[in-house]
Amino acid sequence: MNHKQKRMLGRILVAAIGMILLQFVKLEDFAQWAAYMIPYLIIGYDILKKAVKGILNRQIFDENFLMAIATVGAILLGDYKESVAVMLFYQIGELFQSYAVGKSRRNISALMDIRPDYANMECNGEIKMVDPQDVPIGSIIIVKPGEKVAIDGIVIEGETTLNTSALTGESLPREVRVNDEIMSGCINLNGLIKVKTTKEFSESTVSKILDLVENASSKKSRSENFISKFARYYTPAVCYSALVLALLPPFAAIILGMDPMWEEWISRALTFLVISCPCALVISIPLTFFAGIGGASKAGVLVKGSNYLETLAQTRYVVFDKTGTMTKGEFALSGIHHAVIPEEELLAYAAYAEANSTHPISKSIQEAYGKVIDGKRIKAVEEISGQGVIAQIDDTKVMAGNGRLMKTHHIPYQECSGIGTSVHIALNNQYAGHLLIADQIKESAKAAIQELKKIGIKKTVMLSGDREHVAKAVGKTLGIDVLYSELLPKDKVEKVEELLASKDAKAKVAFVGDGINDAPVLSRADVGIAMGVLGSDAAIEAADVVLMDDDPLKIAKAIRIAKKCIRIVYENIYFAIGVKVLCLLLGAVGIANMWLAIFADVGVMVIAVLNAIRALSVQRC
C-alpha cells in the first residue's frame, strides 16, 4: 500500500471502531447526531468536498454527488447509522479498487522496467558512463554482466547469453556472439561484450516499446467510449428519476387525500441514488483493457491501443506476407544435388569461389561451409553480373552461378526440381553438380496456422512476391487456404481490399508482415501485425500490433488474449447493469433497503474490478 492508501485504511478503522462503540451508548437527539457526525466526517469529508467542488465547477453528476446526497439525506431523515455505513462501505470499496488498480499498474511497470539508466561508451580508449540519449550511431558501448543493453546494435567482440523475457515473453536465454544483432532492453547474463550501435536511443527497441505501451491507453475502444457516454447520460437520468420518486408519489397521495408518507418516499429515493452509482462500469472497463494490454506485453505482444485489442478479438481472416513472416527471411543451404565429386569438396569449391561476394546467397554458402577461407588459394575472381562468378582456386577453374552462366559457357547442366535457388558448379568446364539455396520456413509457422484454425479463423491467405511454384510449395507445407504469388506491394493492397469488400461486416481482417513494402498493407487492414525483430521500422510504425520475437504462434495468442479481454468486459457490463437494474426496481418499490444499496454499489464494483484484473493473466491463452 502507498501512503495515501494507508491513510484511508486508518480512517476506515477509526470510523468503524467509532460506529461500533456508538452501538453500546444510548444518546438523545442532538447528542446522538453529534456523536455520529464524528465517524461520518472522518470517513466522508473528502467525498463531501469533491461533491461541493463538482457543483461549483458545474460537473455535478458523479459518484461523489450521489454519495453526498444519499448520506446527507439519510442524516436529515434521522438514519445516522445508515449514513455512516453507506459512506464507510463506499470508502472500503474505493480503497480496494485503488489497491487493485495500483497492483495492476505496478505489475505492468515492473514488466516494462527495461529502460536503461546509462550506457558504457568507449571513447579514445576510455569507458565513460553516459546517458543513452547521448550515444550517437556507430559508437562502441560495453555491456557488462548484469547490465541492460542500452541501444540496439551488433556484437563486435565477446559472446554472452541474454535474458530477453521483458521483450519477447520467452524465458529461454538467447546466446549471442560476434556479428549477431541485439536489441536494447535485454539483460546481459554472463560475458562482457562490445556492441556497435546501429540506432539512436530514441529509435531503439526499448524506446519504441515504452512509447507504444505508454500511449496505448490514449486509443480507446468502442466499449470504453460507450461506457463514457453511458455514464454521462445515465447519472443525471437517475438523479432526476430519484427526484421524481421522492416527490411524485407523495403529491399524488395528497391529491387523492391519502397519507403522503414523505419520509418513506424520500428514503426510497436516497436508496435509489446509492444503488444507481455507475462506478463499477466506469472503473472496471478501462481497467480490463489496461490489464489486457499489460498482459499481452508480458507475453511479447505489443498492442498500441484498446481499440486494436477489440478489433483483434473480432478477427476472422488472417493474411500473411511470406518472406520474413512465415519464413526466416534468410537463405540457407537446403541440399546438394547431382554431385560428381564428394559433396563436401563441391561445397568447398563453391565457398572459395563466392568468398569475396557479399550477396546473401554467397553468405549462405560460406556459412554452410563453416571453415576458414585460405585466401592464398584464390588466384583470380571474375564476377559476371546476373550470372555468377568464375574463380581460379589452386589449379582448378571454378564456375558458380545460375543456369545462364552454364549456357553462356556451353556447359550442360541439371535442372533442379526443388524449391529455392540453384547454384550450379562447373570445375574445369565440366558440370560437377549444384547447391540448392532456399529461405527456411519458421519452425512454428505450420503450428501457427493450425492454432488459428482452432480459434475460429475462417480463412488464411498468403501474399508473396515470389514465383508461383516457390510460393505454392510454402503455402502447401503450411496449410494456407488461399495463395497469391508474384505480387507487387500495390497488388498486396488490392488483394486485402478485395477481402475487406467481400467479408461479413462484423468480421475483421488482420495482415501480418515484416518488410518496408508491407507498410501500406498493414495500414489498410482492419488490424496490422508486424514482426518486431526482423520487421522494418516502417512496418512497425504502420502496424497496430507488434510481435516482439517474430514467432507466428504469437498471432493466435494475441487473438486469444484479445478475446479473453473482451469477454471480461462484457461480463462486467452485463453483471453490473443487471444487478443495478434489479436493485433499482427493488429500491423503487421499497423492497431494497440501504444495505442492499451498498452491495449494489460497492459490492458490484469490487467484484467487477476483481474480474477485470484477470485480464493480466495470459499464460493459458
Side-chain angles (χ1 to χ4, degrees), residues 277-315:
C277 186
C279 52
L281 288 174
V282 175
I283 292 168
S284 69
I285 305 309
L287 177 61
T288 304
F289 282 111
F290 181 76
I293 290 171
S297 299
K298 190 176 181 180
V301 179
L302 295 181
V303 184
K304 293 185 180 180
S306 53
N307 53 335
Y308 303 125
L309 204 62
E310 194 165 36
T311 305
L312 200 59
Q314 298 169 341
T315 297

Side-chain angles (χ1 to χ4, degrees), residues 116-401:
D117 300 317
Y118 62 88
N120 300 312
M121 186 169 72
E122 188 176 75
C123 186
N124 297 325
E126 296 182 5
I127 298 174
K128 294 181 179 179
M129 190 179 291
V130 299
D131 190 313
Q133 296 184 15
D134 297 333
V135 178
I137 296 174
S139 300
I140 306 300
I141 60 172
I142 311 297
V143 187
K144 300 174 185 176
E147 291 183 336
K148 294 169 188 167
V149 178
I151 304 170
D152 293 6
I154 298 173
V155 178
I156 61 170
E157 187 178 313
E159 56 183 59
T160 187
T161 306
L162 297 179
N163 179 350
T164 64
S165 59
L167 301 181
T168 65
E170 297 298 325
S171 58
L172 191 65
R174 175 189 162 204
E175 293 183 359
V176 295
R177 49 183 59 87
V178 175
N179 294 327
D180 284 349
E181 291 186 13
I182 61 174
M183 296 183 292
S184 53
C186 300
I187 299 173
N188 185 8
L189 296 180
N190 41 51
L192 184 145
I193 55 173
K194 284 188 179 182
V195 178
K196 185 175 183 179
T197 62
T198 55
K199 295 180 181 178
E200 293 181 349
F201 178 72
S202 60
E203 294 298 316
S204 284
T205 302
V206 65
S207 295
K208 291 197 170 186
I209 292 173
L210 292 168
D211 182 61
L212 290 179
V213 175
E214 286 164 4
N215 293 322
S217 60
S218 64
K219 297 175 181 177
K220 292 189 175 182
S221 67
R222 285 190 296 274
S223 298
E224 285 182 285
N225 288 328
F226 162 73
I227 293 303
S228 299
K229 290 178 183 177
F230 173 82
R232 193 158 62 242
Y233 294 107
Y234 169 83
T235 306
V238 295
C239 287
Y240 292 131
S241 298
L243 186 63
V244 169
L245 186 63
L247 299 177
L248 187 59
F251 279 123
I254 291 171
I255 293 170
L256 295 173
M258 300 167 62
D259 181 5
M261 297 190 297
W262 285 102
E263 186 174 323
E264 171 68 21
W265 287 105
I266 290 174
S267 178
R268 290 187 188 184
L270 295 174
T271 302
F272 188 91
L273 279 176
V274 175
I275 293 169
S276 68
C277 186
C279 52
L281 288 174
V282 175
I283 292 168
S284 69
I285 305 309
L287 177 61
T288 304
F289 282 111
F290 181 76
I293 290 171
S297 299
K298 190 176 181 180
V301 179
L302 295 181
V303 184
K304 293 185 180 180
S306 53
N307 53 335
Y308 303 125
L309 204 62
E310 194 165 36
T311 305
L312 200 59
Q314 298 169 341
T315 297
R316 296 295 177 271
Y317 302 89
V318 180
V319 183
F320 297 93
D321 172 50
K322 182 183 77 69
T323 306
T325 303
M326 303 308 283
T327 65
K328 294 179 180 179
E330 53 190 40
F331 291 103
L333 178 67
S334 64
I336 299 176
H337 303 152
H338 306 294
V340 297
I341 60 175
E343 291 184 354
E344 284 201 10
E345 189 177 341
L346 185 68
L347 178 59
Y349 276 119
Y352 270 84
E354 300 279 5
N356 296 316
S357 175
T358 58
H359 192 280
I361 289 178
S362 301
K363 284 187 174 181
S364 67
I365 292 172
Q366 293 165 40
E367 286 176 7
Y369 179 57
K371 297 176 183 177
V372 177
I373 299 290
D374 182 2
K376 294 178 182 178
R377 294 181 60 192
I378 306 172
K379 306 301 183 184
V381 177
E382 179 189 1
E383 189 162 344
I384 302 171
S385 180
Q387 295 187 21
V389 296
I390 300 175
Q392 186 72 29
I393 313 299
D394 295 328
D395 297 325
T396 305
K397 180 183 178 183
V398 180
M399 295 181 184

